[in-house]
Amino acid sequence: MSQTNDYTAINKSTWNDKVDVHMASDFYDMEGFLNGKSTLNEIELELLGDVTGKKILHLQCHFGQDTLSLSRMGAEVTGVDFSEKAIEKAKSIAQTLHLKAQFVCCDIYDTPNYIHEKFDLVFTSYGTIGWFPDLNKWAEVISKVLCPGGQFIMADFHPVVWMFDNDFKGVLYHYFNTEAIIEEESGTYADREAEISNQTITWNHPTSELINALISNGLELNCFNEYDYSPYNCFHETEEFAPHKFRIKHLKNKIPMVYSLSATKK
């Protein structure tokens, strides 16, 4: 079996290895979170609005901080992730904080085989679709689990960002989805000095591929926004030009770094 064919197992191993490092990192600020800090950003909060009483499915929830932030806002939330270790930690944190949330461990493509209810809202954010080779299959899952009239809300890093090398000095990868990108990674975005080393297999997806996948699966685009900053300091060569807003120093505001969108199931 080729590496690309085995991408799920390879990437799952990588994310299992990241969990303890991420939970101990300043990046994820577990102490602040446990003391009541929300991990949701202005970008996605603007689209989420009042979620009180809404049934939300959070895809690729990692160890549950955003999921539990939504629970604190009054939503009835279910988080899904393929990392067994992350889901185990998410359940433990929810129990510690006495927050009502469900967590399910499965491949996102397999979600409808594990979750048989419908949701008012599906949410996913930051570092998501690059882990999938087939966006049509991903969008089909979203459509299946949404109620008619339900909303899909997403915020993620812009595909332009993934074209560059790590130091943003030159264009290294295609904007379009031409092939799997296989990389060796030392450390992690949350702790670059962490003593872990892993392989990742990802795909770049142009904006057109994303939007057309949603449209083809019965979702109607409400809005698509682009931002010239990242709310996270997770890239090399960054500067914080305003609180919690980061750009690449030498590129300033010349490139889009994040997008957000809202779509409604017909």
Side-chain angles (χ1 to χ4, degrees):
M1 182 179 286
S2 73
Q3 288 175 308
T4 303
N5 288 337
D6 205 24
Y7 77 92
T8 301
I10 290 169
N11 289 335
K12 184 190 289 191
S13 175
T14 293
W15 280 99
N16 277 332
D17 285 351
K18 289 176 187 279
V19 172
D20 286 340
V21 173
H22 285 187
M23 287 190 68
S25 70
D26 292 339
F27 185 96
Y28 280 94
D29 186 18
M30 275 301 300
E31 183 179 357
F33 176 74
L34 292 172
N35 288 324
K37 177 185 172 184
S38 173
T39 54
L40 296 165
N41 303 294
E42 180 183 341
I43 290 171
E44 55 266 30
L45 286 170
E46 184 178 333
L47 293 181
L48 286 163
D50 183 4
V51 297
T52 305
K54 287 188 178 179
K55 285 183 64 176
I56 300 179
L57 182 65
H58 179 200
L59 302 178
Q60 292 167 275
C61 68
H62 202 19
F63 53 87
Q65 285 185 323
D66 284 1
T67 316
L68 295 172
S69 292
L70 289 166
S71 178
R72 283 170 167 165
M73 291 169 64
E76 184 183 333
V77 198
T78 300
V80 180
D81 200 276
F82 74 163
S83 163
E84 303 94 337
K85 195 164 184 179
I87 290 297
E88 179 186 318
K89 296 292 186 183
K91 289 178 178 178
S92 175
I93 296 166
Q95 188 172 23
T96 297
L97 294 175
H98 305 290
L99 288 172
K100 189 177 179 183
Q102 302 296 317
F103 290 98
V104 176
C105 183
C106 69
D107 188 305
I108 298 303
Y109 283 157
D110 292 335
T111 301
N113 296 324
Y114 287 80
I115 296 173
H116 305 291
E117 53 190 311
K118 302 288 187 182
F119 294 85
D120 302 311
L121 195 152
V122 174
F123 173 64
T124 194
S125 68
Y126 303 104
T128 58
I129 58 174
W131 301 99
F132 303 119
D134 184 346
L135 286 196
N136 188 67
K137 192 174 177 182
W138 166 84
E140 184 182 4
V141 168
I142 292 164
S143 183
K144 278 183 179 177
V145 298
L146 269 176
C147 298
Q151 275 195 310
F152 172 58
I153 290 173
M154 176 182 190
D156 208 340
F157 299 112
H158 202 284
V160 166
V161 168
W162 303 125
M163 295 169 62
F164 289 88
D165 61 34
N166 283 340
D167 295 324
F168 288 84
K169 301 295 186 184
V171 172
L172 193 61
Y173 301 106
H174 288 279
Y175 175 75
F176 296 98
N177 183 3
T178 58
E179 60 188 357
I181 298 168
I182 302 173
E183 296 176 298
E184 299 296 329
E185 177 186 64
S186 294
T188 168
Y189 60 85
D191 182 355
R192 289 174 192 154
E193 304 304 316
E195 293 183 1
I196 57 173
S197 182
N198 294 104
Q199 187 178 81
T200 61
I201 302 178
T202 59
W203 290 262
N204 283 350
H205 298 288
T207 304
S208 57
E209 185 185 357
L210 165 64
I211 291 174
N212 285 327
L214 294 171
I215 291 170
S216 297
N217 284 281
L219 282 95
E220 187 174 88
L221 196 67
N222 303 319
C223 67
F224 183 88
N225 308 304
E226 295 173 292
Y227 300 86
D228 62 3
Y229 71 89
S230 166
Y232 299 107
N233 188 21
C234 56
F235 298 106
H236 292 241
E237 305 298 326
T238 56
E239 62 180 356
E240 188 174 15
F241 69 94
H244 309 295
K245 293 183 178 182
F246 300 89
R247 288 176 179 151
I248 308 306
K249 284 184 228 178
H250 56 281
L251 295 178
K252 304 297 183 184
N253 62 344
K254 292 179 181 177
I255 64 169
M257 294 193 71
V258 163
Y259 66 85
S260 67
L261 66 83
S262 170
T264 302
K265 183 176 178 182
K266 297 175 187 176

